Amino acid sequence: MSLARVVPWLNLTLRSVRGLCRTRFMEPQGPANPTPMENGTVPCGEKRPPEAQETTVIEGAAKIAFPSANEVFYNPVQEFNRDLTCAVITEFARIQLGAKGIQIKVPGEKEVQKVVVDLSEQEEDKTELKECADLAPGNQPRTATVGEICEEGLRVLEGLAASGLRSIRFAREVPGLRSVVANDASARAVDLIRHNVDLNEVAHLVQPSQADARMLMYQHQRVSDRFEVIDLDPYGSPAPFLDAAVQAVSEGGLLCVTCTDMAVLAGNSGETCYSKYGAMALKSRACHEMALRIVLHSLDLRANCYQRYVVPLLSISADFYVRVFVRVFTGQAKVKASASKQALVFQCVGCGAFHLQRLGKASGASGGRVKFSAACGPPVAPECEHCGQRHQLGGPLWVEPIHDLEFVGRVLEAVSTNPCRFHTSERIRGVLSVITEELPDVPLYYTLDQLSSTIHCSTPSLLQLRSALLHAGFRVSLSHACKNAVKTDAPASAIWDIMRCWEKECPVKRERLSETSPAFRILSVEPRLQANFTIRDDANPSSRQRGLKRFQVNPKANWGPRPRARPGGKAAGEAMEDRRRLLQNKRKELAEDPAQRAARLKTFSCKRFKEGTCQRGHQCCYSHRPLMPETTADAAHTDCPQTHNQNPPGSGAITGPGVD
């Protein structure tokens, strides 16, 4: 056989053997894998590949299967977020369905109320039971229970559902729902949602959907197609979804929004915050409440474009995110008042004192009408009146109340009477209790450490400062957003007078202060207000006296935001933990031995020595070793027989074994 025929025959034989080996040893035993779909998913109803390991998580009343690889996002730290959302939607459903004559039935709530009534008024309870028994079946009040379809109930949309955990918890824990749409743009996530919906037996309520959240909400702009509740919990900023969300929520509907891009909202990148939310964020001790007010401003601004406006029900700053619950209404007259609800903030860079300047002015007119006009300002001079430093301008931000205290009280009462409903009930009680104690008409706050560090004095206790403000005739409260917050209606001049009085009891060494420092200028003025630091009984808030869990401690290491889900399912296990440790403190200079540092610096050539201007000589920390010229280096290699025929660099000649 000729060589030309043997070579193709061998190639065909080797290909056949290779294919046989790949079939016998590389494919798993059992049925063949289904054809993969977009982003590595498989067709619905088919079995997943054996290598796709799953982890089962039980949260609330839901049981969820997650892929072990980081293919679908899940963060267990946000269980508090999901518990609070279930509690808020439950009370919202109670209000909405109560207007239609429908009562909702929450598991565990009726039994608790029965015990309370039985212990206090047993006879009245027996009378009520008899009266209920005498009612005809047609006169019984309509009720909505968990897990059942309520024809007049709420339509809920979760725009970014990921695994569907939140939607499944709604279906299994919130009564009075007509339907829940669990939407995600990822095909792999929607496949997982279908699997979890079947696992929890809520297919009659939860409808999986694969679509872009914005397009889905834009398709539901018609009044008859709108959702009563829309929940947006994206990875990062919700800014791309807000315009569609304010149009797709029904009249008086509930819009729930989470923002995890706290670095932007807290002032680290003001220009980025403006591009996303339409406001400049400032670096401030009150940055967490300022972040809430910026998000509310952004929501109201987008709603105003469609003659709609927002009414905040509850605004939470917790862990590494902020969460707002607002109702959206339509009304041209109310939209005109939106300008007077926004304000710019002037913050001193020296002492941190802030002043608010509203964008609009609403004043009463004849006939009970309201007249709107432009506001006058600014409220500050070019330099701070307390320390002489300049001001930074931030905002606009929402300066009206960020909570509906009546609604917050309803949620707090429901959680307190049924503490076994949620795993984080204790924390929900603590946070909502602090919110009910906040001053609703006082935006932003100061902090204890901020005030004391500005004038370099010892820090007074929280009760001492609160008592001094109360003795002076001002109101004061805490803030759920910061443990050391002092929210008060006292002007900055009164606060600094109180701190001057405190400094007299704990003197500061004035000779160590610079004459241009804020501390020197503030302390050089005598206080006009004589502070009284005697502890008052009403200075200690009720939530603090009862020892409620108001501020969550870090549950574990690396408890913050998780890495973004990857389409390929890149595992977030030990490799990710090693990467975190490697990148920690990468911008900080590690402690180095002086001898090692000197030896390391000697490896670098001195630039001034090259220029002939270094006058340190041998005392210079850098190397003064002269560089070998190229000609010397070339001459040193001429003795080597292997490089005898090499030409000088750049000559363009071709060198090699067979070239002269």
Side-chain angles (χ1 to χ4, degrees), residues 447-453 457-462 464 499 502 506:
T447 60
L448 283 174
D449 53 336
Q450 170 198 0
L451 297 174
S452 57
S453 63
C457 71
S458 60
T459 305
S461 68
L462 181 65
Q464 286 176 323
M499 294 305 297
W502 174 257
C506 307

Side-chain angles (χ1 to χ4, degrees), residues 100-390:
K100 302 176 182 179
I102 303 176
Q103 298 179 359
I104 66 172
K105 183 178 179 182
V106 181
E109 195 172 74
K110 186 176 180 180
E111 288 75 11
V112 174
Q113 293 178 354
K114 259 189 178 180
V115 172
V116 175
V117 173
D118 288 341
L119 293 177
S120 58
E121 301 174 356
Q122 297 180 0
E123 298 299 329
E124 294 182 5
D125 183 40
K126 293 178 181 179
T127 305
E128 291 179 0
L129 289 176
K130 289 182 180 179
E131 292 176 356
C132 293
D134 295 337
L135 290 175
N139 297 331
Q140 294 290 341
R142 294 182 295 171
T143 60
T145 58
V146 173
E148 295 183 359
I149 298 176
C150 180
E151 296 299 334
E152 301 181 34
L154 307 180
R155 291 170 296 179
V156 183
L157 167 65
E158 186 185 2
L160 307 155
S163 63
L165 170 59
R166 195 180 296 252
S167 297
I168 293 173
R169 288 197 59 183
F170 292 162
R172 294 185 62 90
E173 300 180 30
V174 179
L177 302 182
R178 188 193 310 182
S179 63
V180 180
V181 178
N183 177 77
D184 202 281
S186 169
R188 179 71 181 92
V190 176
D191 179 48
L192 187 62
I193 291 172
R194 292 192 180 96
H195 175 67
N196 288 325
V197 166
D198 296 337
L199 183 64
N200 290 269
E201 300 178 352
V202 289
H204 60 291
L205 271 175
V206 181
Q207 305 170 7
S209 168
Q210 182 184 352
D212 184 276
R214 292 165 293 186
M215 296 305 300
L216 180 62
M217 289 186 286
Y218 281 133
Q219 293 170 1
H220 288 77
Q221 294 182 24
R222 295 178 56 184
V223 177
S224 58
D225 297 337
R226 292 175 178 174
F227 298 96
E228 281 75 24
V229 180
I230 294 180
D231 190 301
L232 297 176
D233 189 2
Y235 187 95
S237 173
F241 310 98
L242 298 184
D243 183 79
V246 296
Q247 300 181 66
V249 66
S250 64
E251 180 67 14
L254 181 64
L255 180 58
C256 318
V257 181
T258 301
C259 306
T260 58
D261 55 335
M262 287 302 296
V264 173
L265 288 168
N268 287 348
S269 182
E271 64 281 359
T272 304
C273 184
Y274 180 81
S275 66
K276 292 183 177 181
Y277 301 98
M280 286 291 294
L282 299 178
K283 287 187 177 180
S284 169
R285 297 300 178 93
C287 60
H288 293 93
E289 183 177 332
M290 190 178 293
L292 285 170
R293 296 183 179 275
I294 287 176
V295 175
L296 291 174
H297 158 74
S298 182
L299 283 170
D300 192 59
L301 184 64
R302 285 169 167 82
N304 291 163
C305 298
Y306 309 101
Q307 300 299 315
R308 312 193 81 183
Y309 62 96
V310 302
V311 176
L313 292 183
L314 177 62
S315 306
I316 293 287
S317 172
D319 299 332
F320 51 86
Y321 60 90
V322 292
R323 176 81 163 167
V324 296
F325 301 88
V326 300
R327 297 185 69 179
V328 182
F329 295 92
T330 305
Q332 185 178 4
K334 293 288 185 179
V335 170
K336 292 181 179 180
S338 292
S340 60
K341 300 177 183 178
Q342 323 295 329
L344 299 173
V345 55
F346 292 83
Q347 179 178 277
C348 175
V349 299
C351 63
F354 58 85
H355 302 269
L356 298 175
Q357 171 64 65
R358 291 184 182 255
L359 297 182
K361 181 181 179 181
S363 56
S366 59
R369 296 180 296 107
V370 180
K371 182 180 179 181
F372 301 100
S373 59
C376 300
V380 295
E383 294 182 351
C384 177
E385 60 178 323
H386 309 293
C387 66
Q389 301 292 327
R390 66 186 187 278

